[in-house]
Amino acid sequence: MTLLDKFGRQITDLRISITDRCNFRCVYCRSADPENYRGRDELLSWEEFDRLAKIFLSLGIQKIRVTGGEPLVREGVEDFIARLHALHVRDLSITTNGFLLADRLPRLIAAGLHRINISLDSLDPARFEQITRTTSFAAVMRGIDAVQNSSLAPAKINAVLVRGINDDEVEAFASFARERGVIMRFIEFMPLDADRHWHRSAVVPAAQVYERIHARWPLASVAHQHSETARKYRFADGAPGEIGLIAPVTQPFCGHCSRIRLTADGKLRTCLFSKDDHDLRGFLRDGASDDDVATYIESVVMEKEAGHRINAPDFHAPSRTMVFIGG
Ligand code: SAM
Ligand code: SF4
């Protein structure tokens, strides 16, 4: 089966947010204020996630990324990964803030995880802890070390750059990639923060990141697939490590988008910036058959929007944050 939208894009990637909870409160994502988490009943149960995953795979999904919130705070994530693995997902990955990773990695690997992304927004412990509003730097570094010493190496590290907060660390991150042999990916700040502080001037364009690193350590392009979000580069001098630039704001890749998202509360979202969600949980709980759910998913995906409108003059940031949508 092939899942297509009306623009002929083939949808092969599903991001599943398994929880809205998080043990961090990153400034570019969550508010500092205590949040009302969703009640347990509002979130999909593992059985419901399993059922939907099977339906999505039958429709042509090939890659699944498990995310959140922080996916490692939901008990049972390793078993979920194992069940996805048993369904022969071609590419099975997780995005985590890394805080609980060092302890959990062996079980994740045993479950059949293929790839892992870890968020790291500063190499300075004090600044890292200001950004995440936690005391967590050492634990995250232990998580990265654990990945580097495992079969999942090299670790993919994601940094969201926010001007005035961590944009002075571009070269330090690149140096970290070279020294540690990790894949260092820079993500442009998107208007998805709970506090609504996003402003265009806070975005550090990927082109500037490229220029800065290239001036210090010349970069050479690495081939990438159209549907991949990152432009990839290696160091021309042969040093280990890789650089990835993800530019959803300044160089949108919507024309090649192959992604849809399932939120923790069971909504199908066809774009990070969709105005409307599509409720699958209600369908499941009202006793719909797998065929009915599949037909509904196909009809929603068909209407996937042409692209986000961050750069449109009348753009208004959505009121939802990454908390529900997943990265
Ligand atoms: N808690 C996990 C983590 O932080 O890796 C997984 C969920 S998090 C929502 C997924 C990714 O979204 C992370 O790499 C995070 O840095 C990124 N993210 C969150 N808010 C963002 C924003 N406003 N702009 C760009 N990326 C953002
Ligand atoms: Fe939590 Fe990830 Fe958001 Fe940070 S980016 S607050 S770790 S969900």
Side-chain angles (χ1 to χ4, degrees):
M1 281 288 283
T2 307
L3 198 51
L4 287 174
D5 71 12
K6 65 180 174 207
F7 302 103
R9 291 173 299 192
Q10 191 182 344
I11 306 306
T12 51
D13 305 8
L14 174 67
R15 310 269 161 128
I16 303 182
S17 172
I18 58 170
T19 181
D20 56 337
R21 289 169 192 255
C22 189
N23 42 5
F24 284 16
R25 315 196 67 76
C26 303
V27 292
Y28 55 78
C29 179
R30 296 200 173 219
S31 158
D33 298 332
E35 292 179 59
N36 293 325
Y37 288 124
R38 302 265 150 133
R40 188 163 271 274
D41 247 26
E42 289 181 69
L43 301 188
L44 292 187
S45 65
W46 287 126
E47 290 72 22
E48 289 169 327
F49 277 122
D50 290 348
R51 184 172 167 208
L52 284 176
K54 276 189 202 142
I55 295 172
F56 277 111
L57 289 166
S58 75
L59 286 171
I61 288 295
Q62 298 167 11
K63 300 181 176 185
I64 295 185
R65 173 171 296 279
V66 175
T67 176
E70 171 48 38
L72 297 187
V73 302
R74 183 155 178 186
E75 203 169 320
V77 59
E78 291 91 345
D79 295 336
F80 182 50
I81 299 277
R83 292 193 299 276
L84 292 175
H85 182 70
L87 294 172
H88 305 293
V89 178
R90 206 186 72 195
D91 184 344
L92 183 54
S93 59
I94 197 166
T95 301
T96 171
N97 61 31
F99 183 67
L100 298 169
L101 188 56
D103 285 347
R104 307 282 285 283
L105 187 65
R107 284 173 61 199
L108 289 167
I109 293 176
L113 189 71
H114 297 149
R115 296 190 298 122
I116 194 154
N117 285 10
I118 304 161
S119 301
L120 180 77
D121 300 307
S122 178
L123 289 163
D124 174 75
R127 181 184 279 175
F128 180 85
E129 293 176 359
Q130 273 166 9
I131 293 174
T132 58
R133 300 168 169 133
T134 57
T135 308
S136 54
F137 184 76
V140 173
M141 294 309 274
R142 277 199 300 280
I144 293 173
D145 288 343
V147 173
Q148 285 303 85
N149 291 320
S150 79
S151 57
L152 294 189
K156 246 187 205 176
I157 315 273
N158 290 337
V160 176
L161 292 177
V162 183
R163 198 176 294 286
I165 293 188
N166 60 353
D167 56 320
D168 57 340
E169 292 193 58
V170 168
E171 290 82 359
F173 278 126
S175 171
F176 184 69
R178 292 167 63 86
E179 281 162 22
R180 304 294 304 277
V182 297
I183 301 170
M184 190 68 230
R185 307 190 333 154
F186 298 92
I187 305 176
E188 287 178 347
F189 180 29
M190 290 182 278
L192 292 165
D193 57 316
D195 286 338
R196 308 258 195 139
H197 287 151
W198 184 88
H199 191 270
R200 204 164 292 280
S201 62
V203 178
V204 183
Q208 288 179 12
V209 178
Y210 173 87
E211 287 306 329
R212 281 169 59 179
I213 300 175
H214 188 63
R216 182 88 166 264
W217 298 288
L219 294 170
S221 287
V222 174
H224 74 284
Q225 290 171 346
H226 275 322
S227 62
E228 276 184 284
T229 50
R231 299 279 140 155
K232 301 195 280 190
Y233 303 91
R234 62 179 176 78
F235 294 104
D237 64 3
E242 191 179 291
I243 298 294
L245 301 177
I246 304 175
V249 181
T250 63
Q251 299 165 45
F253 31 80
C254 306
H256 297 292
C257 183
S258 58
R259 269 168 295 280
I260 51 173
R261 292 159 202 275
L262 176 62
T263 66
D265 56 349
K267 306 265 174 28
L268 178 57
R269 208 174 168 88
T270 48
C271 171
L272 269 177
F273 296 93
S274 292
K275 287 208 186 76
D276 301 312
D277 285 328
H278 305 273
D279 183 29
L280 299 183
R281 186 189 67 193
F283 242 71
L284 296 185
R285 294 187 185 174
D286 286 347
S289 70
D290 286 0
D291 282 349
D292 289 344
V293 177
T295 304
Y296 181 59
I297 292 172
E298 283 177 316
S299 67
V300 168
V301 169
M302 185 56 72
E303 295 306 315
K304 180 173 157 69
E305 38 284 84
H308 69 60
R309 304 184 67 258
I310 300 177
N311 298 315
D314 59 344
F315 174 76
H316 291 294
S319 56
R320 282 281 191 86
T321 71
M322 292 292 270
V323 171
F324 293 102
I325 310 164

